[in-house]
Amino acid sequence: MPLKERDKPWIFRTYAGHSTAADSNRLYRTNLAKGQTGLSVAFDLPTQTGYDPDHALSRGEVGKVGVPIAHLGDMRRLFDGIPLEKMNTSMTINATAPWLLALYAAAADEQGADRKGLQGTTQNDIIKEYLSRGTYVFPPAPSMRLTTDVIAWTYREMPKWNPMNVCSYHLQEAGATPVQELAFALATAVAVLDGMKASGAIPAAEFPEAVSRISFFVNAGMRFVTEICKMRAFTRLWDEICETRYGVADPKFRRFRYGVQVNSLGLTEPQPENNVYRILIEMLAVTLSRDARARAVQLPAWNEALGLPRPWDQQWSLRMQQILAYETDLLDYADIFAGSKEIEAKVEALCAEARDELARIDAMGGAVAAVESSYMKQKLVESNSKRLEGIEAGDQVVVGVNRFLETEPSPLTGGDGSILTVPEHVEAEAIEGLKAWRAGRDELAVRRALTELKAAAAEGRNIMEPSIACAKAGVTTGEWGETLRIVFGEYRAPTGVGRAQRDAGGDLAAVRSAVERVSGRLGRRLKFLVGKPGLDGHSNGAEQIAVRARDCGMEVVYEGIRLTPAQIVNAALEEGVHVVGLSILSGSHLALVRDVMERMRASGLEDVPVVVGGIIPPEDERALKAMGVAAVYTPKNFQLTDIMADVVRIVEAGEARAA
């Protein structure tokens, strides 16, 4: 039976931001004019990890995967002409979420907006950063405290704001199974709410309402029926947790509220036009079931496996949402899966397995303990290994990648401007702008504000108001980050590689034999350094390369994410490695690889071959090889064992030349 009144559509978003605040502002206003109903802001890696554009670790990263926001002036430009009181703004920010929310609140104050009317979301899920995306800064305990500060402050000051998106999206990107996505995300929510309750920052009688402001950000993959059932399982399990663990009696406060970006991991570089169908199918998984429908949807562009999407590419994804919402009868009916025996059986099976996994994590002491012990990270590395082995073996079909490879040349990917690139001058201009900002501010006011921020952090007081005061005084992102680093320290999360267990998928015997042969000629075990220079925290590829190299018999040096080129070259020198592999997915490969190559030559390591992996356009691949890079691997090179064989051949050829 049709509904008496048609449902309202979800919020339409595209995830966007790059180059400069002014460029991103133009893009936002254009997208809003095309019918987008909410903003989803992507920040660059220095902003996400609390560095200014002129920091050594920011080299090559400024404006690449998002917009650089170094101070209040940048935030003003980002939202120029966009009334924040009328906008629903999602900000993908985690370790520095209090700071970016402080800048947002300061910008809204300048616009004359009522804070109590501001609507939107700060992602603010630090646990998944330790597991998948890598933009953590501080150790788990103070990071969880900062999350609590944001929740408590927004509850009082910005009651319509969602202070946290429990983010299972990146768990799936890191290889999580549906059960792991359910359990790890819900365990994160429990850890945050337990900490919130223990803090006493919100009166017990008002705690259920605070629970209702916790939202989720999920992923949807290609296993269409499973994804529908996963979302229905999420709603059921969250309702149970809210009622039984926290005593939330009002059903509306137990509602599972979530936004979604569908799977970017599954987008393919070969035959990228096929990604349009993948994106549509994945969107259906989170919109068809009325009882578990997303509140907001943002879709990747069809060509994101190739590079940054152009405005036209983002428009294509926006139109996909609008056609489903306005041209079909989807919003006219009640839940079309209610009463289905198949759906109910699958939902309950997922719930049962997720409850068991939640109990295991709870017995360990909760999500933070499961991070610190590397349990969750290890499980994700194992799951991702199995996923990749299935693709390599052909058991998991990916059209255009391991089956149906024959193709016509695509008219969509040819010619100049087929993907968007960030000009090299953006970084230099950001640094000059930062210098001008510092020169024009009141340094005494800045020092006072930072002193108060440091005191609040050290004394355990809520840091939101001191952070807003810092924003208004002209403090920069790097200064805010450095102040809290002094108080809390920095953290390096476990890689999960050392303990990850996997079956030897595929035939490794030939590669193992080659490793033994070459190691014999070298006089010691072939040693492979896997490095992640810069601020790119997407470590999945590096982890899988490290695991496969180890399983092929190589000695592997992998120290995790966020290393400077100098640190990588120093490790290569000290460890006496035979080959260096660099993994860079942020688009910063040219600047970072150039730096590494120059430092290796200066250190006498010019005979040590360097291989590079990432999302690298053909013209950049040619430039990297002109620098002396021995091989470049992109997402189309999905056969990891073949990559290992290639690496061994490169080392062997170099050894033969040296002999």
Side-chain angles (χ1 to χ4, degrees):
M1 292 288 292
L3 298 168
K4 291 182 179 178
E5 186 176 341
R6 196 170 200 261
D7 278 346
K8 292 181 179 179
W10 52 91
I11 296 171
F12 304 149
R13 288 192 173 119
T14 53
Y15 183 52
H18 65 84
S19 300
T20 69
D23 288 340
S24 297
N25 173 263
R26 282 191 290 273
L27 179 62
Y28 295 162
R29 291 201 284 179
T30 299
N31 286 346
L32 290 170
K34 292 175 180 175
Q36 185 173 304
T37 53
L39 293 177
S40 183
V41 182
F43 298 99
D44 75 352
L45 290 173
T47 304
Q48 292 184 49
T49 50
Y51 293 110
D52 284 333
D54 59 353
H55 192 278
L57 274 169
S58 300
R59 177 80 179 96
E61 303 282 16
V62 177
K64 288 288 171 62
V65 300
V67 58
I69 300 295
H71 46 71
L72 181 56
D74 287 338
M75 191 64 87
R76 287 184 197 126
R77 280 187 286 276
L78 186 66
F79 294 110
D80 182 42
I82 299 174
L84 297 183
E85 199 168 10
K86 297 180 180 178
M87 186 51 54
N88 191 304
T89 305
S90 172
M91 296 194 287
T92 300
I93 197 76
N94 296 284
T96 56
W99 175 240
L100 271 295
L101 183 59
L103 289 171
Y104 189 86
D109 287 349
E110 289 184 346
Q111 288 188 2
D114 180 357
R115 288 183 185 175
K116 289 185 165 38
L118 297 175
Q119 297 185 68
T121 303
T122 30
Q123 194 169 95
N124 202 23
D125 176 357
I126 200 63
I127 288 179
K128 71 97 170 56
E129 296 300 324
Y130 300 124
L131 298 175
S132 55
R133 195 160 167 268
T135 64
Y136 57 83
V137 176
F138 315 112
S143 293
M144 293 293 281
R145 180 208 139 177
L146 295 181
T147 299
T148 299
D149 281 358
V150 170
I151 295 171
W153 184 82
T154 54
Y155 179 76
R156 294 190 306 271
E157 299 293 324
M158 291 168 57
K160 293 185 178 181
W161 192 268
N162 299 322
M164 182 192 183
N165 256 164
V166 182
C167 187
S168 73
Y169 173 85
H170 296 97
L171 300 179
Q172 187 179 121
E173 295 284 290
T177 65
V179 169
Q180 288 170 338
E181 193 178 339
L182 286 164
F184 292 2
L186 292 170
T188 294
V190 166
V192 170
L193 289 176
D194 283 357
M196 190 74 245
K197 194 169 189 179
S199 75
I202 295 174
E206 299 174 29
F207 193 73
E209 191 169 351
V211 170
S212 74
R213 297 314 308 173
I214 301 298
S215 57
F216 290 74
F217 185 67
V218 307
N219 204 330
M222 284 297 291
R223 293 176 61 80
F224 176 67
V225 175
T226 298
E227 293 294 340
I228 291 172
C229 294
K230 181 189 76 181
M231 297 320 308
R232 293 171 73 87
F234 255 131
T235 64
R236 186 172 301 179
L237 290 166
W238 182 239
D239 187 80
E240 288 175 10
I241 288 168
C242 290
E243 185 171 23
T244 61
R245 191 177 186 106
Y246 301 112
V248 179
D250 190 335
K252 74 181 181 192
F253 290 162
R254 304 196 304 261
R255 192 174 299 146
F256 183 79
R257 298 179 310 114
Y258 77 98
V260 63
Q261 171 157 321
V262 305
N263 193 309
S264 294
L265 178 69
L267 301 181
T268 64
E269 179 185 10
Q271 300 180 31
E273 61 278 2
N274 296 338
N275 294 329
V276 175
Y277 311 121
R278 295 184 176 104
I279 293 166
L280 174 60
I281 289 167
E282 290 163 349
M283 178 175 62
L284 291 175
V286 295
T287 54
L288 284 183
S289 175
R290 184 175 186 259
D291 292 346
R293 182 172 293 149
R295 297 282 292 270
V297 175
Q298 60 191 46
L299 303 179
W302 67 281
N303 57 351
E304 285 190 24
L306 307 178
L308 282 175
R310 300 157 298 185
W312 183 86
D313 305 313
Q314 292 193 332
Q315 175 184 300
W316 201 0
S317 290
L318 175 61
R319 295 293 185 248
M320 198 182 298
Q321 295 199 57
Q322 292 167 327
I323 289 167
L324 178 64
Y326 296 121
E327 293 192 21
T328 76
D329 59 354
L330 173 66
L331 300 178
D332 292 338
Y333 290 88
D335 197 284
I336 60 176
F337 299 102
S340 165
K341 293 180 181 178
E342 288 289 341
I343 294 289
E344 179 56 31
K346 181 65 176 177
V347 170
E348 191 45 50
L350 288 170
C351 286
E353 290 185 69
R355 290 185 193 105
D356 289 344
E357 186 63 52
L358 279 164
R360 271 191 291 276
I361 294 169
D362 205 35
M364 295 175 193
V368 172
V371 166
E372 293 175 329
S373 69
S374 86
Y375 169 77
M376 288 202 285
K377 182 66 173 178
Q378 169 194 328
K379 291 300 180 185
L380 290 176
V381 173
E382 289 176 6
S383 296
N384 208 19
S385 292
K386 290 177 182 176
R387 181 188 70 84
L388 291 171
E389 287 164 11
I391 295 172
E392 288 181 90
D395 299 329
Q396 181 175 331
V397 174
V398 183
V399 173
V401 173
N402 60 6
R403 281 188 69 183
F404 312 114
L405 308 184
E406 300 77 11
T407 182
E408 297 296 328
S410 171
L412 295 174
T413 58
D416 292 338
S418 59
I419 59 170
L420 185 66
T421 57
V422 176
E424 292 290 324
H425 62 75
V426 163
E427 184 171 313
E429 290 174 1
I431 292 171
E432 288 305 309
L434 179 64
K435 289 177 181 176
W437 176 264
R438 288 173 180 154
R441 66 189 184 176
D442 182 340
E443 286 300 323
L444 181 59
V446 168
R447 286 198 297 273
R448 285 173 178 164
L450 287 172
T451 298
E452 173 58 17
L453 174 68
K454 185 176 181 181
E459 295 165 13
R461 291 186 279 120
N462 193 300
I463 68 158
M464 282 305 303
E465 287 296 347
S467 294
I468 294 172
C470 282
K472 292 180 176 181
V475 166
T476 68
T477 296
E479 291 164 343
W480 184 90
E482 180 59 24
T483 299
L484 295 192
R485 281 178 167 91
I486 291 170
V487 177
F488 298 141
E490 283 199 79
Y491 185 69
R492 291 195 69 79
T495 66
V497 168
R499 297 183 188 178
Q501 300 297 314
R502 59 176 292 277
D503 298 325
D507 183 12
L508 301 185
V511 183
R512 286 172 176 158
S513 176
V515 169
E516 292 300 322
R517 182 184 70 251
V518 174
S519 296
R521 293 180 60 175
L522 294 168
R524 58 190 175 93
R525 179 67 50 190
L526 192 161
K527 187 179 282 193
F528 185 9
L529 186 153
V530 179
K532 285 199 64 65
L535 296 174
D536 171 32
H538 288 85
S539 58
N540 307 335
E543 290 157 2
Q544 295 306 317
I545 289 290
V547 170
R548 188 63 58 90
R550 181 196 66 189
D551 291 344
C552 287
M554 301 182 209
E555 185 177 347
V556 177
V557 179
Y558 175 60
E559 297 177 349
I561 63 171
R562 212 177 302 163
L563 299 170
T564 65
Q567 288 172 320
I568 289 173
V569 173
N570 187 59
L573 193 62
E574 290 186 348
E575 294 281 352
V577 301
H578 300 107
V579 59
V580 172
L582 303 177
S583 171
I584 308 168
L585 285 90
S586 63
S588 306
H589 41 267
L590 291 178
L592 291 172
V593 173
R594 185 182 299 114
D595 197 350
V596 169
M597 299 297 286
E598 289 173 355
R599 290 175 184 274
M600 288 186 69
R601 282 191 288 271
S603 300
L605 297 176
E606 61 270 13
D607 291 334
V608 176
V610 175
V611 299
V612 179
I615 299 173
I616 299 171
E619 59 271 24
D620 287 359
E621 180 175 346
R622 290 189 290 271
L624 290 174
K625 288 184 175 177
M627 294 177 198
V629 169
V632 174
Y633 305 104
T634 67
K636 68 178 179 294
N637 305 112
F638 66 94
Q639 291 282 2
L640 297 188
T641 303
D642 289 350
I643 293 175
M644 295 301 104
D646 200 32
V647 167
V648 176
R649 283 194 296 271
I650 289 168
V651 173
E652 187 170 26
E655 192 275 336
R657 284 193 300 271

